[in-house]
């Protein structure tokens, strides 16, 4: 059974700092990995999707990497802003693609002024 | 991208009652899902809502407790039946666009059972 863990569970940083969120999964046989952002009362927003054949994806100040063989992914946030405060979740898709996401435990990020 | 509307956004219910949550997508999607997020926990898949047929439930979830309907490609409902305080959670609907292999999520329904 696939298990996804995220470290740290919570993180507080000053504005402007670069930071790294970690995601590890026990079964390296995945189709892809997604990073989501969850804001209170606003559900989940997909940030980045990395296919199993890819090593990284970038969107603006966000960069996600994937090392499938070691079962790890990182989400790098550059020049953090208070608006980045949210819970960040990673989720993996099993081989064959599609639908059943297994979510990580989440990292609650607070960026302070 | 698909936009998902979920109703109600929150509710407080009495033990033993049932609540039906609605999920409306603004476009036809391949698949729809229901997740539960218990306090302090991550998301757990409850079931896949199949259009025109019975939902497919994950281990630990049963139809009698969580009946699901999906009458067409844009709408689904989840009922939480005979509620107890342990059912207090956030329930989220999601829609999967097969072509893009991306899941979109609703804002969730925050349920509290007294």
């Amino acid at each position: 059974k696939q298990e996804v863990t995220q470290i740290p569970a919570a993180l507080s940083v000053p504005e402007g700092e670069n930071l790294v969120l970690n995601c590890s999964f026990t079964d390296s046989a995945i189709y892809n990995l997604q990073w989501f952002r969850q804001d209170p009362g606003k559900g989940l927003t997909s940030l980045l999707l990395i296919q199993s054949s890819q090593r990284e994806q970038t969107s603006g100040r966000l960069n996600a990497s994937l090392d499938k063989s070691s079962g790890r992914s990182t989400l790098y946030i550059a020049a953090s802003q208070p608006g980045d405060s949210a819970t960040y979740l990673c989720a993996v898709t099993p081989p064959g693609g599609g639908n059943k996401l297994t979510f990580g435990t989440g990292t609650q990020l607070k960026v302070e002024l | 991208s698909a936009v998902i509307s979920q109703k109600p956004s929150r509710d407080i219910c009495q033990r033993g009652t049932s609540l039906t949550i609605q999920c409306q997508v603004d476009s036809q999607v391949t698949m729809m899902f229901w997740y539960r997020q218990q306090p302090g926990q991550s998301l757990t898949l409850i079931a896949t809502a199949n259009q025109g047929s019975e939902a497919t439930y994950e281990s630990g979830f049963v139809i009698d407790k969580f009946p699901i309907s999906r009458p067409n490609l844009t709408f689904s409902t989840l009922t939480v039946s005979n509620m107890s305080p342990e059912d207090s959670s956030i329930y989220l609907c999601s829609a999967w666009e097969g072509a893009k292999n991306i899941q979109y999520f609703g804002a969730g329904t925050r349920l509290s059972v007294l």
Side-chain angles (χ1 to χ4, degrees):
Chain A
K1 179 186 173 184
Q2 177 75 273
E3 292 184 3
V4 184
T5 306
Q6 292 182 244
I7 295 173
L11 181 63
S12 181
V13 300
E15 182 180 12
E17 192 163 298
N18 302 324
L19 58 99
V20 174
L21 307 182
N22 297 291
C23 171
S24 61
F25 44 97
T26 55
D27 186 349
S28 62
I30 64 169
Y31 185 72
N32 61 37
L33 182 145
Q34 283 191 80
W35 282 93
F36 291 88
R37 168 182 172 142
Q38 184 176 27
D39 292 283
K42 293 189 177 181
L44 276 67
T45 301
S46 180
L47 299 173
L48 289 165
L49 171 71
I50 311 178
Q51 301 292 349
S52 61
S53 58
Q54 297 175 321
R55 298 285 293 184
E56 66 179 329
Q57 281 287 335
T58 299
S59 176
R61 294 183 293 108
L62 305 180
N63 175 277
S65 68
L66 174 63
D67 183 344
K68 202 173 71 164
S69 61
S70 67
R72 293 182 182 179
S73 176
T74 61
L75 179 65
Y76 176 83
I77 302 176
S80 59
Q81 303 170 358
D84 294 329
S85 299
T87 297
Y88 291 81
L89 296 162
C90 66
V92 298
T93 302
N99 42 49
K100 295 183 181 181
L101 296 176
T102 299
F103 280 87
T105 47
T107 294
Q108 189 170 7
L109 172 65
K110 183 176 181 180
V111 181
E112 299 175 320
L113 290 169
Chain B
S1 62
V3 176
I4 300 176
S5 301
Q6 204 172 319
K7 295 191 297 186
S9 58
R10 59 174 59 223
D11 207 341
I12 300 174
C13 300
Q14 297 295 320
R15 180 196 298 262
T17 63
S18 298
L19 175 71
T20 296
I21 303 168
Q22 298 181 2
C23 178
Q24 179 73 55
V25 190
D26 69 345
S27 60
Q28 293 185 350
V29 291
T30 310
M31 302 181 80
M32 295 180 72
F33 306 92
W34 288 96
Y35 289 83
R36 180 176 73 181
Q37 186 175 28
Q38 294 178 298
Q41 306 289 321
S42 191
L43 281 76
T44 301
L45 180 64
I46 297 172
T48 303
N50 299 311
Q51 192 259 327
S53 64
E54 192 171 287
T56 303
Y57 291 84
E58 297 300 305
S59 175
F61 298 97
V62 295
I63 187 171
D64 289 346
K65 177 66 176 178
F66 298 102
I68 288 170
S69 76
R70 190 181 174 194
N72 55 51
L73 292 176
T74 64
F75 185 78
S76 177
T77 66
L78 167 74
T79 299
V80 185
S81 302
N82 187 25
M83 288 183 285
S84 67
E86 291 71 34
D87 294 321
S88 297
S89 297
I90 298 174
Y91 292 86
L92 295 107
C93 165
S94 76
W96 179 55
E97 271 192 38
K100 298 179 181 178
N101 199 21
I102 293 178
Q103 279 203 32
Y104 301 98
F105 283 81
T109 296
R110 185 179 295 272
L111 171 63
S112 297
V113 183
L114 304 178

